[in-house]
Amino acid sequence: NIMLHRFGILISASRIITSNPFQFNSAHAKLPSTTMTRLNATKSGARTALDEMSPDGSFKRVDAAWRNKISKEPGSMFPPEKNRYHLYVAYACPWAHRTLMTRAIKGLEDVISVTVVMPVWQKTKPDDPNDSHNGWIFADKTSGKVLKNSAGLGGPFPSSYPQNEEDPFYNAKSIREIYEMAGDKDGKYTVPILFDKWSQTIVSNESSEIIQMLNSEFDEYATSPDIDLEPEDLREAMQSVDSWIYPNLNNGVYRCGFAQTQEAYDVAIDELTAAFDRVEDILSRQRFIAGDQFTLSDIRLFVTLLRFDEVYVVYFKTNTRSVANSSVLLNYCRDIYQMARVAETVDMHQIKEHYFCSHPDLNKLSIVPRGPNFERMLKERHNRDDLGIKRPKISVSDDEKSPPPSEASVVSSI
């Protein structure tokens, strides 16, 4: 049990005691360089996705900067433990949605706590006229303040929703403050964040690696430990599909939407359209994207397809294709949406409010299109049973075993 004592903080392998936890950051603990990994990924100065542009006008996403691992290996700085870790997420963000889905499917709700930030970006240093950063903020449950977009237009937006929370640990007002508290010097303040409550630092902000950790490292505590979303026999197939779905679809929608030249857009939309058709072809022949079993690759694909018609077709100009117009992909999305615990991770209202109201450069007055009510379509019966039977068998309690909502109870996504 290694003990460190610096700046009035007593640190052990199992707990931390501090009189002022908000002032703690990872540099204080001087953790071994082999176990603490923070990449200098944002030296370009990118602070939001809108800043990640190349000279030719194409969108170039910057890699996540915090890349530590929770591991069951002996001596791990971040071992899996119940109630030690916390997720900061947004319902709106597809990368964060990956982690919410994986946590729900594995049954880790009582193991890893969650705070959901507000959907509409606001100024993160509102009292500093020289700081122009806009980003994720926490709910404000007490002021009743009415908000506009970061340009002072649009809205009005509430300062809280029932499902969004204030920061439970540090009274931080924005996700930026969590990064700064952890000693971040890179300046791209994204969700999801996998946070260690005991050492009070960021473990990871790379969603693809967080979902792998949630799948494999917490089975001792999970209510559905038998579900393996990255089975050994499908890993090669998963890596193969991920390798082209990520750049051309997951990130491809952003490459279309944030392109700043016609040439950059044309390249991105051609590659997205080809990938969309390739996904459709694969899923016309098998139930899931990597084979006959639901995997992390399906989670990665679903969160993009879920947002495609309601947001990306309009906002990101991906209108060469539509999920609703593809019987294969619509039924694939229905199949996943109707799995136990998945629908509760979906908030289409916050998805749309984030995209259409957070970027005044793209939508000055933050007007939200009505849309096709795609989530209503997902509640209709799917036809995927004939293509395979290996949906995850999720353990649910008696109070979760409820019939699907009636048509009258379906709430509009607007």
Side-chain angles (χ1 to χ4, degrees):
N1 228 16
I2 299 173
M3 290 285 187
L4 302 175
H5 189 278
R6 297 195 62 190
F7 301 97
I9 302 169
L10 180 65
I11 305 173
S12 75
S14 58
R15 66 179 301 181
I16 285 184
I17 303 170
T18 176
S19 59
N20 192 348
F22 190 75
Q23 293 180 350
F24 179 85
N25 66 56
S26 59
H28 292 169
K30 297 293 184 182
L31 298 177
S33 60
T34 55
T35 58
M36 289 296 292
T37 303
R38 189 173 73 230
L39 303 181
N40 293 320
T42 56
K43 288 186 179 299
S44 63
R47 304 176 77 191
T48 72
L50 290 173
D51 300 322
E52 298 173 300
M53 307 304 302
S54 66
D56 66 357
S58 59
F59 174 70
K60 302 291 186 184
R61 186 175 296 278
V62 176
D63 288 340
W66 293 80
R67 307 288 286 272
N68 302 294
K69 299 292 181 69
I70 294 173
S71 173
K72 293 179 285 192
E73 293 295 321
S76 170
M77 184 59 65
F78 299 105
E81 297 183 62
K82 186 174 183 179
N83 295 325
R84 175 168 174 170
Y85 300 101
H86 187 78
L87 279 169
Y88 288 105
V89 300
Y91 282 128
C93 172
W95 320 108
H97 193 182
R98 294 175 173 185
T99 68
L100 281 175
M101 280 186 65
T102 307
R103 171 180 174 267
I105 290 169
K106 290 290 292 189
L108 295 172
E109 293 93 332
D110 294 331
V111 179
I112 299 172
S113 51
V114 166
T115 297
V116 182
V117 297
M118 293 295 289
V120 181
W121 283 359
Q122 298 291 329
K123 292 188 179 300
T124 56
K125 298 286 185 183
D127 298 328
D128 184 351
N130 297 316
D131 194 305
S132 61
H133 179 260
N134 302 307
W136 304 104
I137 63 167
F138 292 98
D140 178 352
K141 297 288 189 180
T142 57
S143 74
K145 187 183 298 184
V146 175
L147 304 174
K148 294 183 179 296
N149 67 25
S150 57
L153 302 169
F157 310 113
S159 57
S160 70
Y161 287 118
Q163 59 271 52
N164 301 84
E165 301 94 15
E166 298 178 337
D167 176 41
F169 308 117
Y170 310 109
N171 196 33
K173 303 305 178 186
S174 68
I175 283 294
R176 175 180 181 173
E177 291 182 28
I178 299 300
Y179 277 92
E180 292 176 342
M181 182 274 295
D184 183 84
K185 303 299 182 185
D186 299 299
K188 189 186 174 195
Y189 311 120
T190 60
V191 291
I193 296 172
L194 181 59
F195 190 80
D196 181 1
K197 293 183 283 188
W198 289 7
S199 63
Q200 299 181 40
T201 195
I202 297 168
V203 178
S204 178
N205 65 347
E206 173 49 60
S207 65
S208 64
E209 294 169 3
I210 294 173
I211 60 177
Q212 289 177 320
M213 291 182 252
L214 299 184
N215 175 62
S216 64
E217 301 304 310
F218 290 89
D219 285 346
E220 178 183 355
Y221 310 105
T223 60
S224 298
D226 295 335
I227 295 175
D228 184 2
L229 299 171
E230 195 176 21
E232 184 68 36
D233 62 332
L234 289 179
R235 287 183 185 177
E236 184 176 349
M238 292 172 64
Q239 291 170 1
S240 176
V241 295
D242 292 346
S243 70
W244 56 268
I245 289 176
Y246 169 75
N248 299 315
L249 271 177
N250 301 141
N251 197 46
V253 295
Y254 290 89
R255 292 171 55 215
C256 292
F258 293 159
Q260 293 184 351
T261 65
Q262 186 67 48
E263 182 181 4
Y265 169 77
D266 288 342
V267 170
I269 193 63
D270 285 346
E271 292 177 353
L272 178 142
T273 304
F276 190 102
D277 291 347
R278 187 175 177 184
V279 164
E280 185 177 42
D281 176 63
I282 291 170
L283 291 172
S284 70
R285 294 179 279 107
Q286 61 193 43
R287 187 164 187 174
F288 299 112
I289 193 62
D292 65 351
Q293 186 170 340
F294 180 78
T295 66
L296 293 176
S297 295
D298 294 289
I299 291 176
R300 292 165 57 117
L301 175 59
F302 172 79
V303 297
T304 296
L305 296 179
L306 174 73
R307 291 159 173 78
F308 201 89
D309 287 22
E310 291 281 11
V311 176
Y312 303 145
V313 165
V314 178
Y315 200 48
F316 285 173
K317 311 176 190 71
T318 64
N319 58 352
T320 58
R321 295 293 183 269
S322 162
V323 175
N325 290 340
S326 167
S327 175
V328 169
L329 295 188
L330 178 58
N331 280 283
Y332 169 78
C333 289
R334 285 171 173 160
D335 191 8
I336 296 173
Y337 179 86
Q338 292 169 26
M339 294 177 185
R341 297 182 182 153
V342 171
E344 66 195 49
T345 70
V346 175
D347 191 317
M348 191 63 76
H349 174 81
Q350 293 200 26
I351 289 171
K352 295 176 69 171
E353 192 169 79
H354 164 67
Y355 281 98
F356 289 107
C357 304
S358 291
H359 316 119
D361 287 351
L362 301 183
N363 189 18
K364 181 178 180 181
L365 298 178
S366 296
I367 294 171
V368 181
R370 182 69 54 85
N373 203 337
F374 186 71
E375 193 171 4
R376 184 190 294 266
M377 300 180 197
L378 297 184
K379 296 175 182 180
E380 298 175 10
R381 189 179 302 277
H382 68 80
N383 64 3
R384 304 289 291 174
D385 288 325
D386 293 339
L387 291 173
I389 59 173
K390 293 187 179 180
R391 300 175 86 202
K393 296 180 180 179
I394 298 173
S395 301
V396 296
S397 60
D398 290 339
D399 58 359
E400 291 181 282
K401 297 175 182 177
S402 56
S406 64
E407 188 70 16
S409 70
V410 175
V411 179
S412 170
S413 65
I414 302 300

